[in-house]
Amino acid sequence: MKVLVPVKRVLDYNVKPRVKADGTGVDLANVKMSMNPFDEIAVEEAIRLKDKGVTEIVVVSIGEPKAQETLRTALAMGADRAILVNSDTKVEPLGVAKILAKIVEEEQPQLVILGKQAIDDDNNQTGQMLAGLLGWGQGTFASKVELGDGTVTVTREVDGGLETDSFPLPAIVTTDLRLNEPRYASLPNIMKAKSKPLAQKTAADYGVDVTSRLTTLKVVEPGKRQAGVKVADVDELVTKLHAMGIAK
Amino acid sequence: MKTLVWVEHDGSAVKDATLAAVTAASQLGEVHLLVAGEGVDSVAQAAAKIAGVGKVHVADDAAYAHALAENIAPLVVELMGHHDAFVAPSTTTGKNVAPRVAALLDVMQISDILSVESEDTFTRPIYAGNAIATVQSSDAKKVITVRGTAFEKAATEGGSGEIEAVASQGDTGVSRFVNAEIAQNARPELTSAKIIVSGGRALQNGENFHSIIEPLADKLGAGVGASRAAVDAGYVPNDYQVGQTGKIVAPEVYIAVGISGAIQHLAGMKDSKVIVAINKDEDAPIFQVADIGLVGDLFKVVPELTEKL
C-alpha cells in the first residue's frame, strides 16, 4: 500500500524568531530552515510501516522552490519519491488541504501521515481539513499507529491521557512528539536521494484556488516580562511567596 | 452575529475551557451552545446556567458519546446553517473537531485566538508565542478556537439558556472509539490551576519527581506540570507536558524546578502572573523570564522550601 507524507519547510526549531521592525512578519532572510519536526516524525513512521505492508512512500511539499531541500531530506530518510507544488505565495492550511486532496485523488494512497502542527504558524489544522475534504477518518495527535486488516488503530494524546480510536482505511493520521524518534539520513542515503524522482507542479496544475482567506494585518513581539529578582536562599523565597499570599 | 460554542464536558460537568470560549464568543455577539454526547441532560442543564447564554442545542446520541470529530463535524455544519461563527476551546477535542468543520464549510480557521479585535479581526500567537499576529478573516462564516488562558471564564450561574434538542446526524462510520486511559489525578487540572509546580530533566527520574515535586505541589494545593524532557524521559505521563506542543497554562504562580527554559517550554507558561525558577545553573534561560529566581540544588532547596512553607 501507498503512504503519502506531506512535509513543510519551516524556520529551524532552535532558532529564535525575530519579528521584522515594520511589523509585516518574522524575518526569514538568512536563517536556518529545516523540516518541521512533526513532519520528520511522520516520515519516520511511514518508513517504519514499510515492513508492515507499506510498499511506497510519496512525500509532498507545497511552497517555494527551496522546499526541494526538505523533500530531499525525506527521500534520504527513506521515502521513495517526491512531489513539489511550487507556489510564490504562502498557502494557508485550507489551500494546502485542497491541493493534498487532489494529490490523494491522483495517487490513491491508503494512508496520509501529517505532522500535527507546523511550528511556524502553529495552526494544527491541515490534517483535519484534509480528512474533512476526503470524508476520511482522522487519527490526530498519534503516539502509536498500528495497521490492521483494512484498518488503522491510533492511540492519541488527548487532554488528561490517551485515547485509542480505530479507522477504516483509507485514513488520515497526524503525528505527536511521542510517536517515534526520527532517524538521521546517512551520507550514502543522502547521495542516493539525489537521484530519486522529484516531480515539479504548481497549484494551478491541480485547479485549486489558494487565495488567502486570512490577511495578516501586523505581527508584533509579545509583551516583555519585567526583569525579576534573584533571592539568596529559601527563607527569602518563602518570605516573598508569603508576601504574595501563597501558603500563608 | 450568532455564535455557536462547542461545550467540552466529561459527561457530567462543563469543562472550564468552555467558559473562556463563551467569553470570547460573547465579544462576537449572541452566544448559543452545542452540547453533544450520550446522556447529557445534566451537562445541558449546567450549560444553560452559564451567564449570557441564549439557546443550548443538545444532541443526545450514541454517535456523539466520545466526541469523534467525524461524527461531530456534520452536526456542527448542520447547525452552522443558522449561525455565523463556530467557537471551540483550544483543547485536544476542539483542535480535532474545528478544522474539520472549517474544511466542510470551506472557510479558513483562526486557531488559538488571544483576543477579539472586531467581528472579523483577531490576535493569535505564532512561532511558539514568539510573535503575535493580528489577522483579519474574509470568510463569511468564522471558525475559531480560543486559548483558554487568554479570556476570563464566564460565570457558571445567572444564565437562563433555552434548551432545544437537535436531531442526530448519525454515525459516519469512518471512526470508532476503542478505549481511553485517562490519568487519575487528584490534583487541580493543569489548565485551570492557580498554582503550578513543574519539574524538568534535572529531577533525574520519576521517583524524584514523586518525592520532590509532588510534596511541594500538595503543600501549595498546586497542579503538577513537566517539561518535555521530563516527559520524554518517562518521569511523568505526556499530559503533564507544558509547552508549545503540550498544555498552555497561565496560573497565578508557576514554579519551574530544574527546567532550563527552552523556547518551546516558555511558549506554554510565559503568561503566568508570577514565575518562580529554581535551578542550579545561574545562566539558565528560565531566569530571564522569572520574577523570582533561586540558584541552588533542587534536591536540597525544594525539600527545604516544602518544609518551611
Side-chain angles (χ1 to χ4, degrees):
Chain A
M1 78 182 230
K2 195 191 281 186
V3 178
L4 187 73
V5 184
V7 295
K8 186 178 186 185
R9 182 176 185 264
V10 298
L11 179 67
D12 187 86
Y13 74 99
N14 282 312
V15 178
K16 175 132 172 78
R18 283 182 203 291
V19 173
K20 284 194 228 171
D22 63 2
T24 54
V26 164
D27 197 354
L28 296 178
N30 305 313
V31 289
K32 189 184 177 206
M33 304 290 279
S34 306
M35 190 191 301
N36 180 43
F38 291 100
D39 303 348
E40 286 187 342
I41 295 171
V43 173
E44 176 66 34
E45 194 63 18
I47 297 165
R48 290 188 189 190
L49 291 173
K50 262 204 160 172
D51 53 5
K52 289 170 189 139
V54 169
T55 49
E56 189 184 28
I57 300 166
V58 181
V59 286
V60 53
S61 194
I62 299 164
E64 54 179 337
K66 279 183 176 167
Q68 271 193 57
E69 294 166 14
T70 312
L71 290 169
R72 291 287 174 205
T73 304
L75 293 171
M77 286 174 74
D80 297 294
R81 62 186 169 89
I83 301 168
L84 173 64
V85 182
N86 284 291
S87 169
D88 313 329
T89 53
K90 231 182 75 165
V91 185
E92 293 171 338
L94 182 64
V96 169
K98 286 180 178 177
I99 294 172
L100 292 176
K102 293 283 184 189
I103 296 175
V104 164
E105 215 170 273
E106 225 170 69
E107 296 281 344
Q108 300 280 318
Q110 286 293 292
L111 198 60
V112 184
I113 310 179
L114 307 89
K116 81 163 176 183
Q117 78 191 63
I119 59 164
D120 51 1
D121 289 336
D122 283 335
N123 272 317
N124 197 331
Q125 299 175 3
T126 307
Q128 295 90 314
M129 285 182 158
L130 178 61
L133 295 175
L134 296 169
W136 293 4
Q138 57 185 58
T140 50
F141 327 137
S143 61
K144 194 175 170 194
V145 175
E146 282 174 293
L147 278 179
D149 190 17
T151 63
V152 60
T153 302
V154 180
T155 302
R156 306 171 49 234
E157 293 196 12
V158 298
D159 296 331
L162 298 171
E163 177 177 315
T164 303
D165 299 317
S166 167
F167 308 90
L169 294 174
I172 304 289
V173 168
T174 77
T175 64
D176 215 322
L177 280 173
R178 246 76 56 177
L179 183 58
N180 61 47
E181 191 77 41
R183 70 193 63 194
Y184 288 101
S186 66
L187 190 59
N189 285 343
I190 292 171
M191 300 310 290
K192 239 190 273 171
K194 290 183 178 168
S195 56
K196 286 185 179 175
L198 192 156
Q200 302 254 8
K201 302 273 187 176
T202 64
D205 291 340
Y206 297 101
V208 173
D209 177 8
V210 292
T211 310
S212 289
R213 307 293 185 85
L214 300 182
T215 311
T216 300
L217 302 180
K218 66 175 178 196
V219 175
V220 297
E221 286 202 15
K224 285 248 189 312
R225 290 190 74 95
Q226 295 278 337
V229 292
K230 280 205 177 123
V231 293
D233 53 27
V234 170
D235 291 326
E236 203 183 332
L237 176 56
V238 170
T239 310
K240 289 234 175 235
L241 290 174
H242 281 168
M244 291 188 296
I246 293 161
K248 208 173 176 180
Chain B
M1 232 178 152
K2 264 194 215 167
T3 66
L4 181 68
V5 177
W6 164 257
V7 174
E8 178 127 6
H9 62 84
D10 58 6
S12 54
V14 174
K15 292 206 174 175
D16 277 357
T18 306
L19 303 173
V22 166
T23 302
S26 67
Q27 293 173 16
L28 289 169
E30 200 179 326
V31 179
H32 292 186
L33 302 183
L34 169 60
V35 177
E38 190 180 20
V40 286
D41 279 351
S42 59
V43 180
Q45 299 292 342
K49 290 193 189 115
I50 297 172
V53 163
K55 226 168 250 176
V56 179
H57 300 278
V58 181
D60 205 321
D61 191 276
Y64 305 133
H66 301 287
L68 294 168
E70 297 81 359
N71 294 347
I72 300 291
L75 174 70
V76 176
V77 168
E78 174 70 20
L79 287 165
M80 285 302 287
H82 40 95
H83 288 89
D84 308 297
F86 177 64
V87 174
S90 284
T91 55
T92 46
T93 310
K95 288 177 192 171
N96 191 36
V97 171
R100 191 172 178 108
V101 170
L104 295 175
L105 295 171
D106 191 26
V107 307
M108 178 54 203
Q109 174 178 301
I110 307 127
S111 291
D112 214 19
I113 64 163
L114 300 172
S115 71
V116 175
E117 302 294 306
S118 74
E119 273 193 1
D120 63 2
T121 307
F122 310 87
T123 64
R124 60 176 304 266
I126 54 175
Y127 290 89
N130 283 290
I132 309 297
T134 304
V135 295
Q136 185 171 35
S137 165
S138 61
D139 285 315
K141 290 190 193 282
K142 313 284 186 273
V143 173
I144 297 162
T145 60
V146 174
R147 176 167 292 194
T149 56
F151 293 85
E152 294 293 321
K153 294 182 187 86
T156 51
E157 293 294 333
S160 54
E162 180 195 337
I163 295 175
E164 192 177 295
V166 187
S168 172
Q169 299 289 310
D171 191 332
T172 51
V174 291
S175 57
R176 186 171 61 81
F177 171 85
V178 177
N179 73 314
E181 294 165 46
I182 300 301
Q184 294 303 317
N185 198 339
R187 296 189 181 85
E189 203 183 342
L190 263 188
T191 47
S192 55
K194 286 207 164 61
I195 304 175
I196 292 173
V197 181
S198 256
R201 198 204 306 267
L203 268 306
Q204 294 175 355
N205 58 49
E207 278 153 41
N208 289 337
F209 212 99
H210 290 302
S211 64
I212 294 187
I213 298 295
E214 291 177 359
L216 176 60
D218 291 341
K219 191 109 187 203
L220 295 167
V224 175
S227 69
R228 181 186 163 188
V231 172
D232 282 351
Y235 305 169
V236 288
N238 305 342
D239 57 300
Y240 280 55
Q241 188 183 328
V242 171
Q244 181 184 23
T245 57
K247 293 202 167 70
I248 312 286
V249 300
E252 283 171 20
V253 183
Y254 187 89
I255 304 179
V257 178
I259 291 175
S260 65
I263 37 180
Q264 291 83 2
H265 185 74
L266 299 183
M269 45 64 81
K270 67 185 167 59
D271 293 325
S272 305
K273 284 214 181 71
V274 175
I275 297 172
V276 179
I278 298 171
N279 205 301
K280 68 176 176 191
D281 174 10
E282 61 181 314
D283 296 323
I286 192 77
F287 286 120
Q288 289 164 23
V289 299
D291 300 279
I292 307 171
L294 175 56
V295 179
D297 180 0
L298 70 91
F299 293 102
K300 285 191 199 131
V301 170
V302 177
E304 187 186 343
L305 176 62
T306 308
E307 177 67 34
K308 288 182 171 167
L309 277 169

